[in-house]
Amino acid sequence: MSNPERDEQQEEERRAEIVSRHLDPAYTAHFDDHPQAQAQAQCSTPTHTSDEDAREYESSLKLQGGDIHRDIYKISARGSGSGSTIQRAQTFSHPGRPRPAEATEQREPGGFRRHFVQQQLLKRSRSFTTPITSNFVHFLDLYGSFAGEDLAESDDENAIESDEEERLLPGEREGERDGERRPLLGKRKSTRATKPGDASLTRTFFLLIKSFIGTGVLFLPKAFKNGGLAFSLVTLVMISLISCLAFHLLLKCRAKYGGGYGDIAEAIGGKRMRSITLASITLSQLGFVCAGIIFTAENLYSFLEAVIKGASPLSITALIGIQLIVLVPLAFIRDISKLGGAALLADVFILLGLGYIYCYDISTLTTEGMSKTVKMFNPRDFTLTIGSAIFTFEGIGLILPIQSSMKEPQKFEGLLYTVMVIITIIFASVGALSYATFGEKTTVEIISNFPQDSKLVNAVQFLYSLAVLAGDPVQLFPAMRILEGSIFGHRSGKQNAKTKWKKNAFRTLLVCACGLVSILGATNLDKFVALIGSFACVPLVYIYPAYLHWKGIAENKYVKAGDVLLMGVGLVAMVYTTAVTVSRWSSS
């Protein structure tokens, strides 16, 4: 088989593997009386067949709307071969050509026009590259990892089996286990980290922008008030530069050892280092979720006061409770791609909010000038600025998977630095303009500073609250899957209803725990954000990359000294800013 044909077959198998994770395995693309379907059912049925097993591999046409989504099942069937032997026609190598229009099609009403439109669409599809995703198969596969970790739901039939499940009991021969579910070709390994990427520079640019610009940008105006205008600007630029250095160290480790953040940590520091790294990722993501819940509750509280023109009928605690009612069902979603709509909606609302902030701040500064209460340095609360600024640069978890999705990963680092310059300008301008506009009146919910009698402000306030709420399930997903992996392993809930409901109960408790922490931290959101940035984000961004580079990459003594220096700066910053933040919180 020629190389192009082999590449085409491998691509077809990859597409089939992605699609199969989202299809019901009890149905097939063949008809019930098709010999391949019957053979597949016979081969897949164990010796002790039950009534439930006998119904496996029915035709997908029996599903509701089966004729509509039948082509999706055919993608899976073409890639897997459906367990049948390869026919001679499938091994014949020949160049593929588009099917020409038949004469009967041309003679139908509108036939020439239809043929012309199809040809034009074909030309456009070959020359146009979408900035984010090219098709729905790529969309399903793009956001399934965080920090380079494979977070595929283990409820899938193709989920990775644990080593314990792979071992045979003493005296047991291969293939004699009742109800065995292992694939015939052995243990499946995830292809998410090994398949070649196909993302262009344009697509990668937009993904990096999205990974960094989130809800944390709205906490910057209050952070500028806590530190002062000049100090906050210098701090933001310094944190951006140190973050770039940390990203460089992590990417060098990845180039040598491969894998995700946890895989790199395990290869260099052992399983304990992997556990510590994943624990920091989990803690930081849960902190982002709690901060988002508090921000949404306080924003909605201000929105209700502005609309009712009086005291809000719902307290902050009640608004947090209402959010939990929404978040618990969303936490039951097993596939992160199904949250893509909520994430896209959040991005649109965030852009609308940022656009209004820029317009209002610039127009106010042009007409009224800078507030007279603006300080260049605030010696009392400047440590809160450090934690909040670190919290804002929250995109380290998506750097490794985005690099893996690139067609030319060697160009990723230069593109990353370009994006860091852009987002640093955005962060600095949002914080500086808002603080210069409102001065000492700057609040944590910056939208509350705008005229509350304006319908446009009320709309922006409400939409931004929805944006943060819609983004919370996406932030919660990595932490939830990491914790589930450590508690339940790779036990499947699809074959065991008890396991599935245990996982659902755990997810419910996790969301409720986030709500409880949000209630406790609701009185001081800026201090809560600074605490998450200082305690959870500093090790993940500054300490761990330097340690991994020092132990696994660095050979020159000067390079090792630089790694030790970065570790020391990160450790001192974490301990000092965390202690001061806790002290300021308790005194207030």
Side-chain angles (χ1 to χ4, degrees):
M1 183 182 296
S2 62
N3 288 334
E5 290 295 323
R6 188 182 300 109
D7 295 341
E8 182 178 354
Q9 181 179 351
Q10 292 177 353
E11 176 65 17
E12 191 71 37
E13 292 175 354
R14 186 185 73 84
R15 288 166 55 88
E17 193 275 331
I18 295 172
V19 172
S20 64
R21 296 200 296 264
H22 306 273
L23 299 180
D24 190 337
Y27 294 89
T28 179
H30 299 298
F31 298 104
D32 286 343
D33 57 351
H34 195 280
Q36 290 184 0
Q38 294 176 358
Q40 185 177 4
Q42 292 174 2
C43 294
S44 302
T45 305
T47 306
H48 306 283
T49 307
S50 62
D51 294 338
E52 182 177 358
D53 295 332
R55 293 198 306 268
E56 290 188 347
Y57 303 106
E58 294 181 324
S59 173
S60 63
L61 291 173
K62 292 187 176 182
L63 290 170
Q64 185 175 5
D67 56 335
I68 297 176
H69 51 67
R70 186 164 177 77
D71 288 339
I72 302 178
Y73 277 86
K74 288 182 178 180
I75 295 176
S76 178
R78 287 197 302 267
S80 62
S82 300
S84 62
T85 57
I86 299 178
Q87 299 178 1
R88 180 67 185 91
Q90 291 177 301
T91 64
F92 180 66
S93 177
H94 65 282
R97 299 185 181 92
R99 185 180 67 87
E102 298 180 357
T104 55
E105 297 177 357
Q106 296 282 3
R107 288 197 296 267
E108 292 179 356
F112 284 104
R113 177 63 182 172
R114 187 182 306 109
H115 177 67
F116 173 76
V117 172
Q118 290 174 350
Q119 292 296 322
Q120 294 301 314
L121 289 176
L122 182 61
K123 292 179 181 179
R124 292 182 183 180
S125 64
R126 290 173 177 173
S127 60
F128 177 72
T129 302
T130 53
I132 303 298
T133 55
S134 56
N135 52 58
F136 107 94
V137 176
H138 181 231
F139 176 77
L140 291 176
D141 192 47
L142 185 58
Y143 295 104
S145 60
F146 186 86
E149 299 299 317
D150 188 359
L151 300 180
E153 173 57 45
S154 60
D155 287 350
D156 188 2
E157 285 287 347
N158 294 325
I160 303 171
E161 296 179 0
S162 62
D163 294 337
E164 290 75 15
E165 292 174 341
E166 285 291 315
R167 298 192 185 102
L168 293 174
L169 298 176
E172 185 178 29
R173 290 184 301 173
E174 184 75 22
E176 290 187 349
R177 183 182 302 172
D178 293 338
E180 183 179 16
R181 284 290 184 184
R182 286 185 302 171
L184 294 177
L185 296 180
K187 181 178 177 181
R188 185 188 71 87
K189 293 292 185 180
S190 174
T191 59
R192 194 181 298 273
T194 58
K195 65 181 182 63
D198 59 352
S200 63
L201 289 177
T202 303
R203 182 189 300 168
T204 306
F205 173 81
F206 283 107
L207 288 175
L208 283 173
I209 291 289
K210 167 61 192 77
S211 66
F212 281 101
I213 298 181
T215 57
V217 65
L218 286 192
F219 301 134
L220 285 175
K222 184 60 182 293
F224 271 65
K225 175 190 172 183
N226 290 331
L229 184 61
F231 175 81
S232 300
L233 285 173
V234 173
T235 299
L236 204 63
V237 172
M238 290 298 299
I239 288 177
S240 177
L241 293 175
I242 298 176
S243 297
C244 288
L245 175 59
F247 297 158
H248 170 72
L249 299 180
L250 184 61
L251 290 173
K252 290 194 69 174
C253 294
R254 206 269 178 85
K256 180 176 180 179
Y257 294 95
Y261 206 160
D263 297 328
I264 297 171
E266 183 175 4
I268 297 177
K271 291 185 177 181
R272 179 172 296 180
M273 187 62 197
R274 176 189 177 92
S275 300
I276 294 174
T277 302
L278 295 183
S280 295
I281 293 174
T282 302
L283 186 61
S284 63
Q285 291 300 120
L286 293 178
F288 296 152
V289 173
C290 294
I293 292 175
I294 299 172
F295 181 86
T296 301
E298 294 188 352
N299 243 19
L300 290 176
Y301 185 84
S302 301
F303 169 77
L304 292 175
E305 284 186 331
V307 172
I308 298 176
K309 301 186 185 304
S312 172
L314 297 174
S315 63
I316 298 292
T317 303
L319 291 171
I320 291 177
I322 293 174
Q323 291 182 73
L324 298 185
I325 297 176
V326 177
L327 292 176
V328 167
L330 293 177
F332 290 169
I333 295 177
R334 261 58 178 178
D335 182 8
I336 193 173
S337 67
K338 295 179 181 178
L339 300 173
L344 179 62
L345 185 67
D347 295 340
V348 173
F349 291 162
I350 287 175
L351 288 177
L352 291 176
L354 290 179
Y356 180 81
I357 291 174
Y358 273 117
C359 292
Y360 184 89
D361 289 346
I362 293 175
S363 61
T364 303
L365 290 173
T366 303
T367 56
E368 301 179 8
M370 183 184 298
S371 173
K372 297 181 180 179
T373 59
V374 171
K375 297 179 180 179
M376 293 296 108
F377 177 68
N378 184 0
R380 185 170 181 265
D381 295 326
F382 72 94
T383 53
L384 301 179
T385 301
I386 301 175
S388 299
I390 295 172
F391 181 96
T392 305
F393 289 93
E394 58 185 64
I396 189 172
L398 290 174
I399 285 181
L400 297 182
I402 289 177
Q403 186 198 31
S404 299
S405 69
M406 285 191 68
K407 184 184 301 183
E408 300 175 293
Q410 67 275 11
K411 298 181 180 180
F412 175 77
E413 196 163 350
L415 183 62
L416 174 62
Y417 298 150
T418 302
V419 171
M420 288 294 291
V421 172
I422 295 174
I423 64 170
T424 302
I425 294 173
I426 294 175
F427 291 163
S429 59
V430 170
L433 289 174
S434 297
Y435 178 51
T437 302
F438 301 106
E440 284 296 317
K441 297 180 180 179
T442 304
T443 61
V444 180
E445 311 84 31
I446 187 59
I447 303 179
S448 301
N449 283 117
F450 300 117
Q452 295 298 298
D453 54 352
S454 170
K455 300 299 182 183
L456 180 59
V457 172
N458 295 336
V460 170
Q461 200 167 31
F462 180 73
L463 291 178
Y464 214 109
S465 300
L466 292 182
V468 178
L469 179 61
D472 284 341
V474 182
Q475 299 275 22
L476 180 63
F477 185 86
M480 193 162 50
R481 291 295 300 121
I482 291 173
L483 290 175
E484 276 189 355
S486 61
I487 296 175
F488 298 98
H490 296 292
R491 285 179 289 173
S492 172
K494 192 167 188 177
Q495 301 299 320
N496 190 332
K498 184 177 180 181
T499 300
K500 182 175 183 178
W501 283 105
K502 281 183 179 180
K503 291 185 176 182
N504 289 341
F506 169 76
R507 296 185 177 203
T508 303
L509 291 176
L510 185 62
V511 173
C512 293
C514 290
L516 180 61
V517 174
S518 301
I519 293 174
L520 297 176
T523 54
N524 291 280
L525 177 57
D526 58 331
K527 297 178 179 63
F528 182 81
V529 169
L531 182 63
I532 295 299
S534 300
F535 184 74
C537 297
V538 168
L540 198 62
V541 181
Y542 304 123
I543 299 178
Y544 300 159
Y547 170 77
L548 296 175
H549 187 269
W550 170 77
K551 188 171 183 180
I553 299 292
E555 297 179 355
N556 188 298
K557 63 178 182 179
Y558 298 105
V559 176
K560 288 191 173 185
D563 292 336
V564 172
L565 178 62
L566 182 56
M567 282 189 285
V569 170
L571 184 62
V572 171
M574 182 188 72
V575 174
Y576 177 71
T577 56
T578 300
V580 173
T581 302
V582 172
S583 176
R584 291 282 296 110
W585 197 343
S586 60
S587 63
S588 62

